[in-house]
Amino acid sequence: RRRSHPLADGWISSSRFSGADIPAAVSTIREAAEAAGRNPDEIRIVVRGSLKLRESDSSDYPTMTGTAEKIKDDLAAYEQAGTDEVFLDLNFDERIGNPDADPARSMAVAHEVLDTFAPAGDGA
């Protein structure tokens, strides 16, 4: 709480920050901003979502791992928790972010992620 500074514009989670911990973190950050005399709604919350796109889902999978539909549900939960933006980080997917990964497959997954999760109406 005491780390909120009058000049802080936001918070960015680490890629390994648990998705389950996001709601509490957002609440703490907004409370700290208010205690520091800031408008909590002006503090930008960015989550680095360690995304692992898979062909099926498992109850053992953490947040941002699974099918596109599960990940879309995870993104909606982040939004519900007060997150302003999610950075889709593929680097922690062992099938992509390691020296033995097939570059062509990695690029195909990256394009699939871009096509699947691009914001609607982005126009880009």
Side-chain angles (χ1 to χ4, degrees):
R1 273 184 216 264
R2 296 189 319 242
R3 298 183 97 186
S4 183
H5 189 277
L7 299 178
D9 290 327
W11 175 76
I12 302 174
S13 74
S14 73
S15 291
R16 294 184 183 196
F17 196 87
S18 169
D21 293 335
I22 293 295
V26 170
S27 178
T28 297
I29 292 158
R30 300 236 188 258
E31 289 171 12
E34 191 167 23
R38 299 287 308 275
N39 179 346
D41 295 329
E42 291 178 356
I43 303 300
R44 188 161 181 79
I45 306 294
V46 178
V47 171
R48 291 183 59 113
S50 184
L51 187 145
K52 295 180 181 180
L53 190 59
R54 299 293 186 256
E55 293 75 33
S56 62
D57 290 317
S58 169
S59 59
D60 295 332
Y61 286 165
T63 306
M64 301 299 290
T65 298
T67 62
E69 291 309 310
K70 180 197 176 285
I71 292 170
K72 287 178 182 179
D73 289 344
D74 293 341
L75 290 168
Y78 280 150
E79 182 178 22
Q80 180 90 20
T83 298
D84 296 302
E85 181 179 337
V86 178
F87 172 83
L88 302 180
D89 188 346
L90 300 175
N91 290 316
F92 291 97
D93 185 341
E94 63 282 353
R95 300 187 309 177
I96 296 170
N98 78 63
D100 296 326
D102 174 29
R105 184 186 177 289
S106 296
M107 187 60 76
V109 171
H111 282 283
E112 182 179 359
V113 166
L114 286 170
D115 290 342
T116 302
F117 301 106
D122 184 52

